[in-house]
């Protein structure tokens, strides 16, 4: 994994897009439902995925498991129409605000978000229970 | 960068926390304002940062530039009190929903979110303009 150097003001205050991909050519991308504000998923984008998104107006990602560019919803129907694309201060992360065509297809488990479990807080290490969000039953 | 194998149902449907860090021992973490739903930042967490967050109830991250565990707001005062911590389907990303103590200290540029610029959509490559969000003036 790369460790990008600390971004400077030239990156933070510029009005030019200068996306900073990691050593593998990827960066993390957050997808948010523009209507509800809900965080839907965290996925990865390549330069090509980001260019496709900006050109077509539909969310594209890079699948690390398949090693392929991926138009979200191409098979499931849960396409994500772009409302806007934002970059962060040091331009090494991107946020897609989207309109969702098929809410239940957002997560491949049949849920409307990938973040359907809460981690139980309190003292201790990381081996601890998860609580399912009762609003997120999924298709199973 | 690691490419975690595709998570299976044992990861997706379990009620045990089995966080999957990358080869550098990190994973991406999204921070959201629990009151407004706004995405505040994308940062990185280590096992220790995540354990500190769950134990203390305040957001901790791993600074890749400084190579150090970091309690958000320790110097700026913009601490993030945890409302809940969520994990995603394949348990390789985390979402902190937080209460923000000092909104203008969330981004180190003096803004209330790190995602204060929109990428101009349309045809073409990635060399394109950014539009500043007029609501996010920053301290400069």
């Amino acid at each position: 994994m790369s460790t990008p150097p600390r971004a400077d003001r030239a990156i933070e205050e510029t009005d030019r897009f200068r996306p900073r991909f990691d050593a593998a050519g990827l960066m993390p991308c957050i997808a948010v439902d523009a209507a509800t504000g809900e965080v839907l998923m965290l996925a990865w984008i390549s330069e090509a995925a980001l260019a496709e998104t900006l050109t077509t107006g539909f969310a594209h990602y890079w699948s690390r498991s398949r090693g392929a560019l991926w138009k979200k919803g191409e098979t499931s129907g849960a396409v994500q129409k772009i409302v806007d694309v934002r970059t962060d201060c040091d331009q090494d992360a991107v946020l897609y605000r989207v309109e969702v065509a098929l809410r239940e297809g957002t997560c491949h488990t049949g849920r409307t978000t990938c973040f359907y479990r809460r981690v139980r807080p309190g003292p201790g290490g990381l081996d601890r229970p998860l609580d399912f969000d009762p609003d997120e039953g999924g298709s199973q």
Side-chain angles (χ1 to χ4, degrees), chain A residues 21-22 27 30 41 73 123 134:
Chain A
F21 295 90
D22 67 17
M27 80 168 66
I30 306 162
M41 53 195 276

Side-chain angles (χ1 to χ4, degrees), chain A residues 101-124:
Chain A
L102 179 70
R103 281 175 47 81
E104 295 70 23
T106 292
C107 181
H108 73 284
T109 64
R111 297 178 174 93
T112 62
T113 171
C114 296
F115 292 96
Y116 51 84
R117 286 172 296 185
R118 293 185 186 158
V119 186
R120 194 88 57 88

Side-chain angles (χ1 to χ4, degrees), chain A residues 13-137:
Chain A
E13 302 300 334
T14 182
D15 61 359
R16 293 304 294 184
F17 195 27
R18 297 281 178 261
R20 296 160 72 231
F21 295 90
D22 67 17
L26 302 178
M27 80 168 66
C29 177
I30 306 162
V32 165
D33 186 322
T36 64
E38 187 176 31
V39 176
L40 302 174
M41 53 195 276
L42 184 292
W44 295 84
I45 51 173
S46 61
E47 212 173 295
L50 184 50
E52 275 295 292
T53 299
L54 290 163
T55 302
T56 65
F58 286 93
H60 289 71
Y61 302 97
W62 178 261
S63 167
R64 295 186 301 170
S65 54
R66 287 182 285 119
L69 183 71
W70 161 52
K71 180 184 175 184
K72 172 69 185 171
E74 194 157 44
T75 54
S76 69
V79 295
Q80 297 177 339
K81 192 167 189 294
I82 294 291
V83 174
D84 65 42
V85 172
R86 291 168 180 249
T87 188
D88 73 345
C89 44
D90 47 7
Q91 299 208 36
D92 62 1
V94 158
L95 173 66
Y96 290 169
R97 290 178 61 245
V98 302
E99 241 171 61
V100 178
L102 179 70
R103 281 175 47 81
E104 295 70 23
T106 292
C107 181
H108 73 284
T109 64
R111 297 178 174 93
T112 62
T113 171
C114 296
F115 292 96
Y116 51 84
R117 286 172 296 185
R118 293 185 186 158
V119 186
R120 194 88 57 88
L126 295 181
D127 183 4
R128 56 176 71 213
L130 297 175
D131 297 312
F132 282 79
D133 186 332
D135 295 337
E136 290 294 344

